[in-house]
Amino acid sequence: MFRNQYDTDITTWSPAGRLHQVEYAMEAVKQGSACVGLKSNTLVVIGSLKRSPHAELSSYQKKLAKIDDHIGFGIAGLASDGRVLIKNARTQAINHKYTYDTPISVQRLVLQISDKSQVSTQRSSKRPYGVGLLISGYDEQTGTHLFQTEPSGNYYEYKAIAIGARSQSARTYFEKNYQTFEEADEETLILHALRALKGTTGDNVELTSKNASISIVGKDRKYKLIEEEQLEPYLAKLEENAAATTEQQPAEQQDDVDEEMVQ
Amino acid sequence: MTTHISPQMASSGTQHGKFEPYVNNGGTTLAIPGKDFVIAAGDTRLSTGYSIHTRQSSKVFQLTDKCVIVTAGMQSDASTLHKTMHARLVHYEHAHGKQMSTEAIGQMLSNMLYGRRFFPYYTFNLVAGIDSKGQGVVYGYDAIGSYQSVEVGAMGTGQSLIQPLLDNQVAYKNHQLVPSKELDLERALSLVKDSFTSAGERDIYTGDSVEIAIITQEGIKYETLQLKQD
Amino acid sequence: MSMDNFGLYKLMHEDAPKNNNPLLEQPTLAKTHTTDPIVTGTSVLAIKFNGGVAIAADTLASYGSMARFRDIERLKSFGKYTIVGASGEYSDFQYIEEQVKQSLIDRDYQLDDGRSTTPREIYQYLVRVLYNRRNKFDPLYNVLVIAGYENGKAFLGQTDYLGTHFEDVTLATGYGSYIAQPILRKFYSEKNGNITEQEAKDILKKCLTVLFYRDARAADKVQIAVINDQGPKIDEPIKLETQWTFKGF
């Protein structure tokens, strides 16, 4: 990245009205392996692509975390920074349950996490969190939610979104298909998540039950994590569907490939 | 715990006295461990003095898939203790990816109670669960954290009425010939029910209904037994 | 200063005499705890009915045996779904009211997430506030009744200055727990819980009348409030009809 005289500390503005250190933190998010999220009226699914420092010798880094029965996190960027926010969010959830005897509202948690991130952009003694979050949540009063947070302290709510390396293809995929998500069932949502994730793996990397994982929250159910063997059936279905689609609509498949090449 | 501020507090105006932070809300709890099961129960009456606040206040709190706590004594301390334990258990599950064992819960409660040694929770607890060997276990506590595994445990205002009988009928204390037949779930459940019916007969703080948790390796089932409301 | 039977005015005044104890450099106002309720409200009554909860209290705050404030409100609505009724120290209730209102501003308005604090959340929050104050040996001397209606469900709970808390279909505090609660419980069970809004208000009015006859700290000016899917509605105070011509009186 191009260095200039306004990027050595967090709190100094550039004449162009930018906070370079904060923007560098956002770059860290873009370098992290992808996280995708989408929701229906009753369910929210987060999918993540995991990296391992060494394909054969090491384990994969965990990127999905349960915050409470109704809230899940997915992280992209510095996983260690992510753990700090996860720990904080879990504490907030527990404290809310203690004081009010009800599950914490997703919106409230997102706001509190974002406010925490914002503080790190305005103090010279601090460093912004180098992590972006996808936050899935279900709320009795307001239904399903999917949020994205940034190191800047900004947050956005989405119907479907992807963050991290090569996530543009996933966003493009969601843009094409999001209208069917509202009424979709669990399996369909998972397959959409995996298909979106598949586009983010990069050259010569396959989506496997080792490097992919899925989390689900939703109405009348508790947080569920799907990975390893439990993911196999979905990956198998993904293969079947892909084969069928190629046979039936070769033209459309061609379109997809073109767009991915643009990234 | 003799000076309780009765409901007239609301209308008694300027009457002077030292603030009494404790109250005994009455009620009885009971737990019996078996070889591969454990039963824990508590009545649902909540009183202060001669007033029954409600007939449906639970003393049983589920901690994990195979462990519950039943608490007699002061209701607000009990529910605070239950909530704090719950928070600790959720933290544990996040950190370790599994539920806390019944033995660990037993020690944790002792630590939590002793942590309040100089302003104790006015609570009398029984922790009932399946241990890591798959056997039923009950831990009995005093208010400040002394605890031990017991063969049968009763707490609260009905304790003095039912503990001696259960010592005899469950732990076979003071028998010349100890029956070799071990306690089965059916007989344990029947003893629990009879104990509460009897306590309800003589103890004014015990009554209304009993909430019974039956814990086995398969999970926890709940039963309710109606008691007299007088 | 005829009201100043604690000598607080003298202590608070600038030229208050210095404490004679040489060990204490500060005047003894540094840390004070409430030891007794001073200005108090008497019973609060409430009963669930089909589609809501009715709650009632009189409008009197007593100073000992003196009817000190005869037109105060002991029922307050908190947010969209909740009414709280208070017996006990009136100033503590006013303090609680401010606290809860501020917390609702933080939670419901500032957050603007389309989510409203539910009656159960307000109830649990109040339980924690009252319990934490008893832990500091500085209690808020109240017994509170929390009535609410949210998402098709009626809520009715009670909590006091020790943090004791419970829910029920009928509730009564103070002398009402002796005099009104048996009447309400009997009414509720005879009706099998199948009670209309009007019936609920009528039975509360009847109980308030009985209380006025026998509780020397009760007044005949009362408020009856209802909370249902239309939100909270606290009626203007009404005068109870009483009959004093019985031979027994």
Side-chain angles (χ1 to χ4, degrees):
Chain A
M1 183 129 322
F2 179 69
R3 282 182 59 85
N4 65 51
Q5 60 180 314
Y6 297 106
D7 71 353
T8 47
D9 71 71
I10 305 160
T11 55
T12 302
W13 287 100
S14 84
R18 303 165 67 164
L19 291 167
H20 288 287
Q21 282 293 335
V22 175
E23 290 183 20
Y24 298 162
M26 315 253 270
E27 284 304 313
V29 178
K30 288 185 192 163
Q31 286 172 33
S33 61
C35 248
V36 304
L38 69 162
K39 64 166 191 162
S40 72
N41 288 330
T42 54
L43 298 169
V44 197
V45 171
I46 295 180
S48 80
L49 183 68
K50 296 181 285 188
R51 280 203 191 115
S52 74
H54 186 107
E56 282 97 45
L57 297 178
S58 81
S59 65
Y60 287 83
Q61 239 177 347
K62 293 218 181 307
K63 305 223 312 164
L64 298 180
K66 173 182 167 176
I67 302 304
D68 202 343
D69 289 339
H70 68 300
I71 296 179
F73 273 18
I75 63 177
L78 272 181
S80 50
D81 280 15
R83 284 203 305 274
V84 175
L85 295 181
I86 287 165
K87 198 173 182 181
N88 183 268
R90 284 171 172 171
T91 305
Q92 304 253 18
I94 288 167
N95 288 348
H96 192 279
K97 190 78 181 271
Y98 182 91
T99 309
Y100 298 98
D101 210 27
T102 50
I104 192 169
S105 113
V106 200
Q107 298 98 311
R108 165 168 288 258
L109 184 71
V110 169
L111 185 70
Q112 281 166 344
I113 290 290
S114 292
D115 284 354
K116 191 175 162 65
S117 299
Q118 193 282 142
V119 172
S120 305
T121 69
Q122 220 176 6
R123 297 237 162 100
S124 56
S125 60
K126 293 199 168 183
R127 159 176 83 70
Y129 291 97
V131 70
L133 301 173
L134 291 190
I135 299 177
S136 62
Y138 182 76
D139 180 275
E140 277 289 324
Q141 283 183 35
T142 57
T144 54
H145 297 278
L146 174 64
F147 287 94
Q148 181 212 164
T149 72
E150 290 180 348
S152 60
N154 281 331
Y155 67 95
Y156 312 92
E157 180 159 19
Y158 288 95
K159 289 172 173 158
I161 185 62
I163 56 172
R166 292 177 289 276
S167 59
Q168 181 56 49
S169 74
R171 284 195 293 277
T172 308
Y173 175 82
F174 286 151
E175 274 168 29
K176 279 190 175 175
N177 296 287
Y178 78 94
Q179 279 155 96
T180 63
F181 292 171
E182 271 189 26
E183 303 296 328
D185 62 10
E186 179 178 338
E187 185 182 293
T188 312
L189 289 176
I190 293 173
L191 291 179
H192 277 307
L194 291 173
R195 221 170 281 139
L197 216 50
K198 207 172 164 66
T200 72
T201 52
D203 298 333
N204 308 321
V205 181
E206 282 292 303
L207 196 66
T208 68
S209 60
K210 292 271 173 243
N211 66 7
S213 57
I214 294 281
S215 79
I216 309 169
V217 296
K219 188 174 165 55
D220 301 325
R221 53 143 71 209
K222 291 181 173 181
Y223 178 94
K224 187 165 84 175
L225 182 68
I226 305 174
E227 52 184 10
E228 307 281 334
E229 313 85 65
Q230 289 172 307
L231 202 62
E232 299 282 4
Y234 297 102
L235 288 167
K237 281 218 175 72
L238 203 65
E239 290 295 313
E240 282 172 34
N241 291 2
T245 320
T246 323
E247 275 173 39
Q248 283 163 18
Q249 302 156 305
E252 200 175 303
Q253 190 68 10
Q254 194 57 47
D255 274 357
D256 283 350
V257 174
D258 277 352
E259 278 203 35
E260 278 185 41
M261 286 173 71
V262 176
Q263 311 322 320
Chain B
M1 249 52 70
T2 46
T3 48
H4 83 270
I5 299 173
S6 69
Q8 299 102 297
M9 187 278 296
S11 53
S12 61
T14 55
Q15 149 197 111
H16 290 260
K18 199 173 159 284
F19 173 59
E20 170 60 58
Y22 289 120
V23 65
N24 187 351
N25 294 117
T28 305
T29 60
L30 176 59
I32 304 177
K35 194 167 161 46
D36 55 356
F37 70 88
V38 59
I39 299 177
D43 75 317
T44 62
R45 179 173 291 182
L46 180 73
S47 320
T48 297
Y50 292 133
S51 287
I52 296 172
H53 283 127
T54 179
R55 302 185 191 280
Q56 42 190 20
S57 174
S58 179
K59 292 178 181 65
V60 187
F61 186 84
Q62 186 171 330
L63 297 169
T64 67
D65 291 341
K66 46 187 178 185
C67 185
V68 303
I69 182 170
V70 281
T71 307
M74 180 173 173
Q75 187 251 4
S76 64
D77 271 348
S79 92
T80 305
L81 181 66
H82 292 169
K83 272 168 175 277
T84 311
M85 287 181 86
H86 178 74
R88 291 279 295 266
L89 291 167
V90 173
H91 267 303
Y92 182 99
E93 206 173 327
H94 282 316
H96 297 93
K98 62 176 184 187
Q99 290 190 331
M100 196 185 281
S101 70
T102 301
E103 295 95 312
I105 291 172
Q107 181 63 52
M108 183 186 78
L109 177 58
S110 174
N111 298 150
M112 290 173 71
L113 291 169
Y114 195 78
R116 286 280 298 260
R117 174 61 181 79
F118 299 107
F119 184 22
Y121 287 116
Y122 185 26
T123 57
F124 301 97
N125 299 286
L126 290 167
V127 167
I130 303 291
D131 68 13
S132 12
K133 284 178 242 146
Q135 291 173 341
V137 62
V138 171
Y139 298 109
Y141 298 77
D142 73 3
I144 52 173
S146 305
Y147 82 115
Q148 67 176 144
S149 170
V150 293
E151 288 174 274
V152 55
M155 297 273 179
T157 50
Q159 180 183 41
S160 57
L161 292 162
I162 57 178
Q163 182 79 62
L165 186 83
L166 291 172
D167 284 343
N168 184 261
Q169 288 299 301
V170 178
Y172 297 119
K173 293 280 159 61
N174 304 104
H175 277 235
Q176 293 293 330
L177 294 164
V178 175
S180 59
K181 196 173 149 245
E182 73 185 25
L183 189 69
D184 62 17
L185 201 153
E186 197 186 352
R187 186 170 128 78
L189 191 58
S190 155
L191 279 168
V192 167
K193 290 177 178 177
D194 285 346
S195 297
F196 275 97
T197 312
S198 306
E201 199 63 37
R202 288 288 184 167
D203 175 20
I204 59 164
Y205 297 111
T206 301
D208 299 324
S209 69
V210 196
E211 198 182 358
I212 307 168
I214 302 157
I215 312 171
T216 60
Q217 204 56 263
E218 278 73 59
I220 306 181
K221 280 195 294 185
Y222 290 94
E223 267 188 36
T224 306
L225 169 71
Q226 288 302 311
L227 292 179
K228 296 196 323 187
Q229 300 200 322
D230 62 2
Chain C
M1 295 307 296
S2 58
M3 288 275 299
D4 188 25
N5 59 349
F6 293 96
L8 291 178
Y9 177 81
K10 225 176 173 184
L11 276 171
M12 282 168 0
H13 208 263
E14 276 189 344
D15 47 35
K18 283 272 182 304
N19 199 307
N20 288 328
N21 186 345
L23 296 171
L24 295 171
E25 287 179 16
Q26 297 285 318
T28 50
L29 259 188
K31 183 110 179 163
T32 52
H33 285 181
T34 312
T35 52
D36 298 289
I38 307 297
V39 176
T40 59
T42 184
S43 317
V44 176
L45 315 176
I47 185 168
K48 281 191 188 178
F49 61 83
N50 286 335
V53 189
I55 178 169
D58 65 27
T59 63
L60 175 67
S62 306
Y63 177 73
S65 60
M66 179 199 195
R68 183 63 181 82
F69 303 104
R70 291 185 293 182
D71 194 20
I72 49 89
E73 292 184 347
R74 297 199 287 124
L75 304 177
K76 297 280 181 187
S77 67
F78 290 160
K80 287 204 291 197
Y81 307 120
T82 313
I83 296 176
V84 177
S87 43
E89 174 60 46
Y90 195 65
S91 67
D92 284 348
F93 179 51
Q94 288 184 321
Y95 167 78
I96 288 167
E97 187 190 350
E98 291 305 308
Q99 294 287 306
V100 175
K101 291 231 158 111
Q102 188 56 51
S103 118
L104 286 176
I105 288 167
D106 294 346
R107 284 170 64 82
D108 292 357
Y109 300 100
Q110 217 155 295
L111 205 59
D112 197 25
D113 58 3
R115 197 177 189 277
S116 294
T117 306
T118 62
R120 174 169 271 102
E121 286 174 330
I122 292 178
Y123 161 74
Q124 276 295 335
Y125 173 76
L126 287 171
V127 171
R128 288 347 295 174
V129 170
L130 268 61
Y131 179 79
N132 288 336
R133 285 292 291 263
R134 91 104 208 192
N135 279 353
K136 290 177 187 158
F137 279 73
D138 188 15
L140 294 163
Y141 269 110
N142 297 105
V143 182
L144 303 173
V145 174
I146 297 93
Y149 193 83
E150 187 267 323
N151 199 224
K153 289 190 289 281
F155 177 85
L156 182 55
Q158 182 180 325
T159 180
D160 66 17
Y161 53 96
L162 294 172
T164 317
H165 59 285
F166 48 90
E167 293 171 43
D168 215 329
V169 289
T170 65
L171 289 176
T173 71
Y175 263 99
S177 69
Y178 300 129
I179 294 172
Q181 181 71 309
I183 301 172
L184 293 171
R185 281 183 182 160
K186 185 159 180 262
F187 180 76
Y188 194 92
S189 71
E190 277 172 4
K191 287 275 178 183
N192 230 311
N194 196 7
I195 298 164
T196 65
E197 179 177 329
Q198 194 54 48
E199 284 172 331
K201 290 170 92 166
D202 289 347
I203 192 77
L204 289 184
K205 198 167 160 187
K206 186 179 151 193
C207 289
L208 287 165
T209 312
V210 177
L211 278 164
F212 177 57
Y213 281 128
R214 285 297 172 185
D215 176 4
R217 302 290 164 265
D220 58 351
K221 196 176 181 186
V222 301
Q223 278 183 298
I224 300 178
V226 157
I227 180 118
N228 55 21
D229 58 359
Q230 305 296 303
K233 189 172 169 294
I234 305 176
D235 289 346
E236 286 301 305
I238 52 166
K239 196 90 172 170
L240 292 174
E241 284 172 32
T242 45
Q243 173 64 264
W244 297 97
T245 55
F246 298 118
K247 280 270 165 57
F249 295 140

